[in-house]
Amino acid sequence: MLNNAAEFIKNRIGNFKPEIGIILGSGLGELADEYCKLAIPYSEIPGFETSSVSGHKSRLVFAEINQKNVVMMQGRFHFYEGYSAQKVVFPVKVMKKLGVETLIVTNAAGGVNPDFKPADLMVITDHINLMGTNPLIGANDNDTGVRFPDMSEVYTKEYVKLVQKIGDKLGISLQKGVYIAFTGPSYETPAEVRMARVLGADAVGMSTVPEAITARWAGMKVIGISCICNSAAGISDAGLSHNEVIKAAGEAKEKFKKLVKEIIKEL
Ligand code: HPA
């Protein structure tokens, strides 16, 4: 199935060779609209599912940004949609087959760190997997990665520094911290958010961890960026809604795009 998907895409893109992959999170899909050279709806690709969450389109977008060939997922698959963790990471494996060496994973997240404000961007330094599953469960493809992959540096340290440097240069203040993933789709309770903080998390979300684990396993460099869309439950008095998340992502999207474009340039 993986080879079918890769062959299908290669036939469509011809001699275009993506070197950078980007997964665009909720409300952050505009970068793909802006640069789209060729788009393939997920529904046409063997083995792909279709993302059903509002704020997500469902297509793979190929583009040249700052002289680099990029493939973007405009919309991702979530575990909470009922897809297995293995299905969720299928596109990452396909990207690897297409030659992608660096993956930029983005998401909308709740701020667990009380210093974070809505529309802040956070560079992910590490993650905590509380999804209760792992995308690498099952037979291991030894040609791509080892059975027990090292996760001591999922998010390439050198690139964390690079992203911070770029933030400074562009005058975009960036937070830095640990992302914790729950399955969702319900938001966390205040007690769960307090637990997340005790465990060392700065932001909480429902994605990214499966894709990052898979990319690291496959030997890719990984950069993670969270758009902090709300204070996580109990951090402020307000309740949470998906509309609020999309609204904050909208507020952050210009600086997000600026940052990602510059990261692509510097990679
Ligand atoms: N929790 C989990 N996922 C999220 C949140 C949150 O508060 N905000 C945006 N995605």
Side-chain angles (χ1 to χ4, degrees):
M1 198 51 123
L2 191 56
N3 287 329
N4 289 349
E7 284 312 309
F8 174 87
I9 293 167
K10 280 182 188 166
N11 279 333
R12 286 284 190 93
I13 62 178
N15 57 9
F16 182 93
K17 294 239 177 333
E19 49 184 312
I20 300 170
I22 309 177
I23 303 177
L24 294 165
S26 290
L28 303 172
E30 244 184 51
L31 193 71
D33 290 329
E34 204 175 306
Y35 284 90
C36 181
K37 197 160 142 186
L38 183 121
I40 311 177
Y42 295 158
S43 57
E44 294 179 15
I45 308 172
F48 269 57
E49 306 291 339
T50 34
S51 178
S52 58
V53 187
S54 75
H56 285 269
K57 283 195 187 169
S58 295
R59 55 186 203 158
L60 214 49
V61 170
F62 297 84
E64 189 187 313
I65 304 179
N66 282 330
Q67 279 90 52
K68 302 269 170 65
N69 286 345
V70 173
V71 53
M72 287 175 268
M73 286 187 77
Q74 203 173 20
R76 59 149 56 83
F77 310 124
H78 300 87
F79 188 60
Y80 63 71
E81 291 175 89
Y83 305 127
S84 65
Q86 290 74 17
K87 277 277 183 195
V88 167
V89 302
F90 184 76
V92 176
K93 294 181 181 172
V94 172
M95 284 184 184
K96 174 72 185 178
K97 293 258 178 222
L98 297 177
V100 167
E101 286 163 7
T102 306
L103 184 69
I104 305 176
V105 204
T106 73
N107 60 56
V112 174
N113 184 324
D115 295 336
F116 291 4
K117 298 178 305 302
D120 274 354
L121 298 177
M122 181 188 93
V123 190
I124 303 177
T125 54
D126 203 351
H127 72 224
I128 299 171
N129 180 9
L130 272 194
M131 286 184 142
T133 186
N134 189 298
L136 304 180
I137 290 172
N140 188 57
D141 169 13
N142 294 318
D143 292 336
T144 308
V146 296
R147 171 77 291 187
F148 302 108
D150 176 25
M151 291 287 140
S152 49
E153 190 182 329
V154 177
Y155 304 87
T156 312
K157 278 200 182 102
E158 182 197 337
Y159 288 168
V160 169
K161 281 195 200 132
L162 178 73
V163 175
Q164 285 187 295
K165 212 177 82 193
I166 292 170
D168 289 346
K169 188 174 86 182
L170 298 176
I172 297 172
S173 72
L174 295 174
Q175 306 286 4
K176 196 172 89 167
V178 173
Y179 176 93
I180 191 166
F182 289 80
T183 65
S186 53
Y187 289 116
E188 304 70 38
T189 63
E192 285 163 347
V193 171
R194 285 195 299 276
M195 173 188 77
R197 188 71 187 137
V198 170
L199 294 182
D202 296 286
V204 58
M206 309 173 189
S207 67
T208 298
V209 164
E211 295 105 315
I213 289 174
T214 304
R216 190 69 210 100
W217 163 74
M220 295 182 197
K221 301 253 171 92
V222 181
I223 296 173
I225 300 170
S226 291
C227 171
I228 306 299
C229 290
N230 54 278
S231 299
I235 300 280
S236 84
D237 295 334
L240 268 59
S241 76
H242 186 58
N243 285 341
E244 175 197 12
V245 168
I246 297 294
K247 186 165 160 274
E251 282 165 28
K253 75 183 173 200
E254 290 309 323
K255 63 178 174 182
F256 170 80
K257 282 195 290 186
K258 224 166 118 180
L259 181 71
V260 173
K261 281 185 224 176
E262 195 65 22
I263 294 171
I264 292 168
K265 190 169 157 189
E266 301 261 339
L267 280 177

